[in-house]
Amino acid sequence: MALAVTSSNSISSSSFALSSSSNDIKVDRANVASTSLSQRRSLVRPLNAEPKRNDSVVPLAATLATPEVAEKVEGEEDFEQLAKELENASPLEIMDRALEKFGNDIAIAFSGAEDVALIEYAHLTGRPFRVFSLDTGRLNPETYRFFDEVEKHFGIRIEYMFPDAVEVQALVRSKGLFSFYEDGHQECCRVRKVRPLRRALKGLRAWITGQRKDQSPGTRSEIPVVQVDPVFEGLEGGVGSLVKWNPVANVKGNDIWNFLRTMDVPINSLHSQGYISIGCEPCTRPVLPGQHEREGRWWWEDAKAKECGLHKGNIKQEDAAVNGNGNGAGNASEAVADIFNSQNLVTLNRTGMENLARLDNRQEPWLVVLYAPWCQFCQAMEGSYVELADKLAGNGVKVGKFRADGDQKEYAKQKLQLGSFPTILFFPKHSSKPIKYPSEKRDVDSLMAFVDALR
């Protein structure tokens, strides 16, 4: 796990020395942290981290982890109000507040582009920090070299999250290496980026991104400096369990570059070749003078919705009415790729769903999710539900999915207790009436406890 720490092997609870290749900064920790490092280390359990490293650059990377017990003040905080308070704050102040509030339970998402500014801001706070990045397997060689330069410059280790090899293999074998040019980038991004990100965020309570309002007027013009993440789940699971910080939301692109030049930090050499926004090699190209920076990403698609899925909560579903739970209640675009795809999941059509609901004597109990593939909350629980289906395979419980939006929505509301997406139903072995999962927690352990209590 990437932490920026002193190169010394001893750290006291009253002071913390942060070293880099260019300067040394010593900060009185008593004034900037409410919980000492020694206290936090006494309450830890391992996170989803890399194997322990022996090199002295990060001697505490494997021992600093998520507290088993944490004060619940963050869950009670009004982050919408906090965003208003910090609207005119500097990126450094916002970064400092984020690291102070969440400590070891927050990490910087680093893409290998100009968001290296986030690492520099974190470095300047004098606080320990984490950095992770998604290695899709299709990045430019220049980006990999840049990662190495950043690690050496700041004396940190970046935690790299990789896509599932089986999922990548299945996608490439069935559709080829460049299917996204024909049917859109969402499916490939889901396998190579969104699911690895979801795994990373499951070990955190907050994350820090380099989103700016001027990056994509169609999707990012309204992002706040801090928000409850609308798509992903954090350590505690369920809606609202993850906080998203965007310290440079109000900063212009030119100002970011002035900051990077002033601080003399490493930058990706692709920028000098005309690349501004940098992603995977097949899906990124230089932009021409006068073009917007996002024009270089997925240039063959609609320019109004250029998000890979990591920040899909920015995209408004204009065709869907929104109910009190924030779920789309109407029809959404048919172009949205389907979700909950697994060989251990049964896809039910309307007839299959009616037959299942009609049975009084089932050979096996069923767990079925009523979903809409465009729903951000359905997308957020995709990994957990697929993992649950894999765990239950061959254990006497069938797991299925039923797409309940569009023409099927009225039926689902009247006959299947659909209130909002997703709705999860358990059909017992000897009863026709399904039991609705009552909780907002949709992590694997919570769903498994629900199933075990009823089968």
Side-chain angles (χ1 to χ4, degrees), residues 410-421:
E410 197 57 36
Y411 159 72
K413 289 174 68 176
Q414 292 184 7
K415 302 295 185 181
L416 300 175
Q417 308 175 55
L418 175 66
S420 61
F421 295 119

Side-chain angles (χ1 to χ4, degrees), residues 292-432:
H292 191 274
E293 61 186 86
R294 297 293 281 187
E295 288 297 312
R297 303 289 294 274
W298 310 295
W299 60 90
W300 62 93
E301 296 184 12
D302 181 9
K304 294 181 180 179
K306 291 197 173 183
E307 296 288 352
C308 60
L310 306 189
H311 305 295
K312 196 167 184 177
N314 298 336
I315 300 176
K316 295 180 175 61
Q317 296 292 344
E318 296 178 355
D319 297 330
V322 178
N323 66 19
N325 289 325
N327 293 313
N331 275 327
S333 170
E334 293 296 329
V336 177
D338 199 17
I339 57 176
F340 301 126
N341 298 311
S342 169
Q343 61 181 3
N344 295 318
L345 265 164
V346 179
T347 301
L348 297 166
N349 58 21
R350 170 71 174 270
T351 301
M353 199 70 226
E354 289 175 338
N355 290 338
L356 177 63
R358 192 181 298 123
L359 290 174
D360 290 327
N361 262 323
R362 303 179 187 87
Q363 293 184 350
E364 294 177 299
W366 279 73
L367 186 74
V368 179
V369 60
L370 312 181
Y371 74 103
W374 45 263
C375 168
Q376 59 192 25
F377 300 109
C378 297
Q379 294 167 3
M381 69 165 283
E382 180 184 20
S384 298
Y385 196 71
V386 169
E387 183 180 344
L388 179 72
D390 295 342
K391 283 189 174 184
L392 290 173
N395 286 311
V397 178
K398 292 286 189 181
V399 182
K401 65 175 184 176
F402 175 64
R403 181 167 178 174
D405 63 340
D407 294 339
Q408 307 303 327
K409 186 171 184 183
E410 197 57 36
Y411 159 72
K413 289 174 68 176
Q414 292 184 7
K415 302 295 185 181
L416 300 175
Q417 308 175 55
L418 175 66
S420 61
F421 295 119
T423 290
I424 300 170
L425 301 176
F426 185 81
F427 292 83
K429 194 172 181 180
H430 301 295
S431 172
S432 60

Side-chain angles (χ1 to χ4, degrees), residues 88-148:
N88 296 316
S90 69
L92 183 61
E93 181 181 350
I94 298 168
M95 178 67 74
D96 187 69
R97 181 74 72 89
L99 296 179
E100 178 189 27
K101 182 173 289 293
F102 289 97
N104 201 57
D105 300 334
I106 189 170
I108 296 169
F110 177 47
S111 70
E114 76 274 21
D115 51 3
V116 67
L118 296 175
I119 302 178
E120 177 66 8
Y121 282 124
H123 168 75
L124 291 174
T125 68
R127 299 181 186 277
F129 60 94
R130 296 178 176 179
V131 181
F132 74 91
S133 190
L134 307 177
D135 184 349
T136 65
R138 306 201 73 172
L139 304 178
N140 295 78
E142 292 89 344
T143 298
Y144 289 111
R145 287 194 288 270
F146 179 47
F147 285 148
D148 185 61

